[in-house]
Amino acid sequence: MANKIEFIDSFAKYWKEKVGVDVLLKAGDQTDPIPAHKIILAASSEVLKQMIDSTSSASDPITFSEMTHDELYIPLLSSCTKVTFRIQNC
């Protein structure tokens, strides 16, 4: 159990520090993109995986013009939680 807690703590720390960020997501109502991780997005959604695969440049944000920051950000947090839960239960 201690190893699982350490893993989750490390995951949260690195996520907050933006370690390994390799894609930026941008909502229609904001100017600053949200840093994210392709592997987490792809693991959580086939649609996001296809969007990532079709992005022309790694430095260009993927824009969700009809979404607000909160509509985009909250599901991202949910995706991270689901992936973390799956990994810790392996």
Side-chain angles (χ1 to χ4, degrees):
M1 181 67 161
N3 288 340
K4 291 179 183 179
I5 292 170
E6 287 175 22
F7 173 79
I8 293 170
D9 288 345
S10 294
F11 187 88
K13 176 184 177 228
Y14 295 139
W15 185 73
K16 288 177 187 175
E17 293 175 359
K18 301 176 181 120
V19 172
V21 166
D22 55 1
V23 67
L24 299 172
L25 307 177
K26 189 172 180 182
D29 70 340
Q30 71 174 34
T31 56
D32 295 327
I34 300 168
H37 301 86
K38 290 179 182 179
I39 189 135
I40 292 174
L41 297 174
S44 65
S45 166
E46 184 62 33
V47 172
L48 288 173
K49 180 186 180 307
Q50 291 176 9
M51 291 177 78
I52 291 165
D53 290 344
S54 67
T55 302
S56 59
S57 170
S59 62
D60 292 336
I62 298 173
T63 302
F64 297 83
S65 57
E66 296 186 16
M67 295 181 79
T68 66
H69 178 269
D70 288 345
E71 289 171 337
L72 183 57
Y73 190 72
I74 291 170
L76 288 177
L77 290 177
S78 174
S79 294
C80 290
T81 303
K82 288 177 189 172
V83 170
T84 303
F85 180 77
R86 288 181 189 146
I87 291 170
Q88 75 174 355
N89 287 313
C90 289

